[in-house]
Structures are given as C-alpha cells and as structure tokens.
Amino acid sequence: MSRKTTVFSEQKYFLFLFAFYLTAVLAPIVLVHKIIIVFGLTTSACLYVYPLTYTCCDIMAEVYGYKTARTAVWLGVFSTLLFTTVISLIVKLPSPVSWPHQAAYVLVLGGLYNIAIGSLAGTLLGSFANIYIISRWKVLLRGRLFWLRSICSSMIGEAIFTTTSVLIVWTGKLPWNKELMLALTLFLSKVIYSTLMAGPATIIVGLLKKSEGMDEYDLSLDYNPFKLPV
C-alpha cells in the first residue's frame, strides 16, 4: 500500500526548523511580563524572541515553499491557542493553603489567554504577509537577494503585527500618544533585530538548499492562507 508523504517526512531538517519556530512562537507568551534592560533600553524579554518567528518563516518559505510555511504558521496558531488555554485553566485550579506560590503563578501565567487572543490577529496578518511577500519576490528576483527580501518582508510583517496587536491590546488602556510611541519603539526594535538576523538566515538557507537538494519556487500557486493540506 502506498503512503502519501509530506515535507514533514521527506526532508531531513524541516522538523528541526519547525521546532525552533514553534519555540519562538510560544516562549514570548510567558516572557511578556519579564522586563529586562539591554544597552540601557527597558523592554519586555519577548521582544528578543518573537522576531525569530519571521526569520524562521523566511527560511521555510525560501527553501520549502509557501505552502509549507503556511502550514507551519497555522500549526503555530493552533499550538498557541491550545497552550494558552491549557495553562490558563490549570493555573486557576485551587492549591493547598500551605503552598505559597499560587499568587506568583496567577500573576505571570493567569492572563496568557488574553495576551494570546490580543496578538492573534496581528500574528496571522503579519506572518502571512511576510511569507507571501518573500515568496512572490523570490519569483520576481529569480531567487536572488534573499537577505534583502528577508529584511523587507519582515519589516512589512512586523509593521502589520505591531500595529494590529498594539491596537487590540492597548487601546483604551494607554493615551494615544503613548500607544503610538509604544508601537514605534516595538517596531524599530524588531526591525533592528530582524536586520541582524538576515545574515545568519542567509547562511542557513544556503546550507539547507544544498543539504535538502531543493529550492522551491512558488509558480502558479494559490496563496489563499486558508487552503491547508488534508
């Protein structure tokens, strides 16, 4: 009996890349309340993890194609919903009076579901814009200048994500001028981070193309983000 295979089973390194992507999707959810100082800038620790999702998506779309990256994005969305739902429900279960850490768990993990829902629209819009742009520009530029395509597509995706998520999460909680400053600070930080990652991503893309023996071009492809393999 023949068995249908997918990129998940055919390629040697895709699952490792996807695992890294999924980690970059889920880790920021629990790091959002962790405040750190880097070069004098006070910000949330998640800012230094989440932009890696765009780098991973760029690599997946460049090597394995838009369809594979699209599936990875949706799996990340479903994993986020499942992860936050499970954590939000379990953390609220009653604990023994003698256990002193319930308040700490509720403080850090109690609001994960609201955070995830608030940023979900931004994640979907930003990620799909990112992989669509890098896929289309790859065809137009005949595979050249991945580093530039990665920076530009990530900038557009991150602009969409930041604008959408900040509007959803912070509207009504901050004055408009502070909300705008927050969005601008987050966006610029992500752009700098993604630019720094473009070099390593280009090296990884070259190694993967050679090792996997593939370099997917999305010609005559249906870019419908809701069309998933069954």
Side-chain angles (χ1 to χ4, degrees), residues 160-197:
I160 295 172
F161 169 80
T162 302
T163 302
T164 305
S165 60
V166 168
L167 285 175
I168 293 175
V169 174
W170 295 106
T171 295
K173 300 178 182 179
L174 290 176
W176 277 105
N177 61 330
K178 292 187 177 180
E179 191 171 335
L180 179 62
M181 184 59 64
L182 173 64
L184 183 60
T185 301
L186 290 172
F187 172 68
L188 291 177
S189 300
K190 292 174 182 177
V191 167
I192 294 172
Y193 194 78
S194 295
T195 301
L196 294 175
M197 290 302 300

Side-chain angles (χ1 to χ4, degrees), residues 24-46:
V25 169
L26 297 179
I29 298 174
V30 296
L31 290 174
V32 67
H33 296 300
K34 170 62 177 177
I35 304 302
I36 60 176
I37 299 176
V38 178
F39 299 119
L41 175 65
T42 302
T43 184
S44 169
C46 70

